[in-house]
Amino acid sequence: MQRVLTEGKFRFPTRICVKKLALNIKCSGEKNVHIQNLGYQSKGRRWQNRRRRQLVVPRRDRHDADAQLKDEIGRKTAPWGITVSSVEIRDVAIPAQLQDAMSRQAQAEREKAEQELARLARIQQALFQATSALLHATTEAQLLEDVCRVVTGRAGYRLASIGVPEKGPDKAVRFVAVVGEAADYLRKAKISWDDSAYGQGPTGSALRTGEPQVVQDFAGSSRLALWHELAGTYGLQSCVGLPLRSDDKVIAVLTIYSAEKNSFDSAELAMLERFAAELSFGVQAARQKEERDRFQQQVVRLSRFQKALLNAHGVMMRARTEANLYDGICKVIVEDAGYLLAGVGLVQHDAVPPIRPVAVAGGGTHTTEILQLAMLRARAADGSGPVGLAVRSGQIQVIRHRSDDPTLEPWRPRLAALGVTIGATAALPLKRDGAVFGVLVVFSTLEYDFLDDEIAMLGSFADEIAFYVDILRRGGAPS
């Protein structure tokens, strides 16, 4: 609505444009009056809406409308000492071209608003579906994979990932779940969570700062210059990194990539941040459930292990050679105690390989290769795996969560290629006269396996093996 107010000493005209109507209002007063805002715009609109149908009736009815509007405006202006003497409603013709342009613009705005509402509804529905996955997932790995699949499927994003921080010196980001058409991008991109240029992306920054990171224009962000070319190859235009927390500590980041610029508006970000909070609780619940399951399995394992020790004593008593002893012990550990794989390696000074596998049981079709891989470079100065450390230090070495341990990085790609899932590892040195002559290595499919009581029993078991080996090497036989 437009008003042109002309100040006058006793009488002044005011023109108010109301959509397709014009109101000519003549007012009179006894003083010079300066009016900045009469507040008639909304009043005129409300009145017009109420009278819309009457305005298309014959002209004689307009006199009644003029009178009604004059009374309504007069009541508002009377306290100011202004008297409305007349009101006249006149039609205003809008050119056809302008009407068409206004109609097209209004239609475009409606379609854009409808598309935006549909997109937000689709995302909200997808996040609701992802939330239901929190209730049905049996493991953390399954939960994270399902969430990424929903985000890239129903919600229509190009790529979704869950990255966790590695504890090594380079502070690399390890992706435990990656789903989407551009999944190869994360397999090729170098991403860390340190202060270097490789840690300035949405994932690394969210891990480091604990705050959501939004990039509306990937190619236009100077801090993402390292990844511009690669991201462009995979059609990634914008992204957001959402930290996942457990006990106020950032444990992972959900990173979502879009094929459109400026994809993450305030409404969408609010939904995604709420979902990230729910996912954090889901991860905590999954970990607690896995912890309970592991404890129950370990209780069963300890019971089985105690029975296995009795069988192992029988093996030791019957063994007439070291080879018989090692083979029998490994079979008992796998078949009776229920571990994934067990093997024995003997130290070879100044020889290649430095530790020679002499017995192995379990592990499926890649049993020997797994054991050889575990003992590779174990005697080297940089042999940082549990077998190498056990041989060099003479102390029991335990890795309860192999997927998070940075010391196992050299072995991880090969194990993945073999399709082998190892949760935890224990390496127990075999000693004779205080010197390490071999190592017993045990693999478990369970992460966080090998409780303290279990390790204590395995340590005593390794000492007994070494004792019987010493008897055999002295030329005697167990009795």
Side-chain angles (χ1 to χ4, degrees):
M1 180 179 300
Q2 179 183 3
R3 280 193 302 264
V4 180
L5 303 181
T6 304
E7 183 179 334
K9 187 173 183 179
F10 296 104
R11 180 183 297 274
F12 56 90
T14 302
R15 178 181 174 89
I16 302 179
C17 300
V18 185
K19 219 168 184 180
K20 293 185 180 181
L21 300 174
L23 305 180
N24 281 349
I25 304 174
K26 295 181 180 180
C27 304
S28 63
E30 297 178 352
K31 301 178 181 179
N32 289 330
V33 180
H34 181 72
I35 302 174
Q36 293 182 342
N37 190 343
L38 290 176
Y40 294 149
Q41 179 172 351
S42 59
K43 183 70 176 178
R45 283 178 177 167
R46 291 196 300 271
W47 181 87
Q48 181 200 9
N49 289 335
R50 292 200 305 269
R51 301 290 297 175
R52 186 177 298 276
R53 294 181 180 177
Q54 287 83 348
L55 293 176
V56 298
V57 299
R59 180 172 295 276
R60 62 178 179 274
D61 291 340
R62 290 195 179 181
H63 296 301
D64 296 337
D66 293 344
Q68 182 180 351
L69 184 56
K70 171 180 173 294
D71 293 340
E72 291 182 4
I73 296 176
R75 282 195 298 271
K76 292 290 185 180
T77 60
W80 304 344
I82 298 173
T83 302
V84 179
S85 58
S86 66
V87 174
E88 180 183 355
I89 301 175
R90 295 185 304 176
D91 291 331
V92 176
I94 299 178
Q97 272 188 329
L98 180 57
Q99 290 185 30
D100 290 342
M102 293 171 62
S103 177
R104 288 194 299 270
Q105 181 180 0
Q107 180 65 22
E109 291 176 354
R110 283 195 299 271
E111 290 177 355
K112 183 178 180 181
E114 290 172 358
Q115 291 172 358
E116 181 65 14
L117 288 174
R119 185 178 67 88
L120 291 176
R122 185 181 69 251
I123 293 171
Q124 188 173 28
Q125 188 175 8
L127 295 182
F128 177 78
Q129 181 179 347
T131 302
S132 68
L134 305 180
L135 304 175
H136 299 96
T138 57
T139 65
E140 179 182 344
Q142 179 191 347
L143 168 62
L144 300 179
E145 189 78 15
D146 290 347
V147 165
C148 289
R149 186 173 292 107
V150 172
V151 168
T152 56
R154 186 144 196 143
Y157 293 107
R158 189 160 180 78
L159 175 63
S161 67
I162 304 290
V164 298
E166 293 278 17
K167 299 178 181 179
D170 57 350
K171 292 188 176 181
V173 175
R174 181 169 55 86
F175 293 97
V176 295
V178 177
V179 179
E181 297 177 0
D184 284 343
Y185 166 75
L186 293 177
R187 298 187 181 100
K188 297 178 181 180
K190 180 181 178 181
I191 299 175
S192 68
W193 60 284
D194 58 10
D195 290 325
S196 71
Y198 294 101
Q200 303 307 309
T203 303
S205 297
L207 281 172
R208 189 173 58 256
T209 66
E211 298 294 333
Q213 303 293 316
V214 184
V215 179
Q216 298 288 16
D217 183 2
F218 206 110
S221 175
S222 58
R223 66 189 181 100
L224 304 183
L226 286 172
W227 304 286
H228 281 177
E229 183 177 354
L230 187 61
T233 302
Y234 289 96
L236 305 178
Q237 299 290 333
S238 59
C239 56
V240 58
L242 304 163
L244 307 181
R245 299 178 180 275
S246 177
D247 298 327
D248 293 329
K249 178 183 178 182
V250 178
I251 57 173
V253 168
L254 168 62
T255 308
I256 302 172
Y257 297 82
S258 173
E260 300 177 359
K261 293 181 181 179
N262 302 309
S263 180
F264 302 96
D265 58 23
S266 57
E268 189 170 347
L269 282 173
M271 286 192 296
L272 291 173
E273 288 181 17
R274 286 195 297 270
F275 174 70
E278 294 175 359
L279 180 56
S280 296
F281 285 114
V283 170
Q284 293 182 56
R287 290 186 175 183
Q288 291 172 357
K289 181 180 182 301
E290 290 178 0
E291 184 67 25
R292 290 193 299 270
D293 292 343
R294 280 193 296 268
F295 179 76
Q296 295 174 354
Q297 290 172 332
Q298 287 165 344
V299 169
V300 174
R301 170 77 54 73
L302 286 174
S303 176
R304 293 178 61 182
F305 190 76
Q306 289 176 337
K307 296 178 180 178
L309 286 178
L310 296 176
N311 295 334
H313 285 300
V315 170
M316 295 177 188
M317 293 294 295
R318 293 189 297 271
R320 291 296 177 264
T321 64
E322 284 189 48
N324 295 148
L325 175 62
Y326 298 142
D327 287 338
I329 291 300
C330 290
K331 288 179 181 179
V332 167
I333 291 174
V334 172
E335 296 175 4
D336 295 342
Y339 291 101
L340 171 67
L341 181 147
V344 174
L346 298 181
V347 175
Q348 298 187 123
H349 298 283
D350 301 324
V352 179
I355 298 180
R356 177 172 56 90
V358 294
V360 64
T365 57
H366 301 290
T367 298
T368 302
E369 188 170 1
I370 295 171
L371 186 61
Q372 290 174 342
L373 188 62
M375 297 181 178
L376 181 66
R377 297 170 59 203
R379 288 276 295 172
D382 60 347
S384 57
V387 174
L389 292 175
V391 170
R392 291 201 306 276
S393 68
Q395 303 295 321
I396 297 174
Q397 302 293 321
V398 180
I399 294 179
R400 290 187 168 89
H401 195 185
R402 288 183 63 93
S403 60
D404 282 347
D405 198 302
T407 63
L408 300 179
E409 190 59 35
W411 290 267
R412 193 171 285 123
R414 184 56 185 157
L415 286 174
L418 294 175
V420 177
T421 301
I422 297 176
T425 304
L428 306 105
L430 303 177
K431 301 179 184 178
R432 184 185 182 196
D433 297 329
V436 177
F437 70 87
V439 61
L440 170 65
V441 59
V442 182
F443 296 91
S444 173
T445 57
L446 302 177
E447 291 188 340
Y448 303 105
D449 208 351
F450 300 116
L451 298 175
D452 291 342
D453 291 343
E454 192 173 358
I455 288 297
M457 287 191 291
L458 282 170
S460 299
F461 186 48
D463 291 340
E464 291 191 44
I465 295 173
F467 174 76
Y468 279 100
V469 169
D470 186 62
I471 294 176
L472 292 171
R473 288 188 178 183
R474 294 179 185 276
S479 59

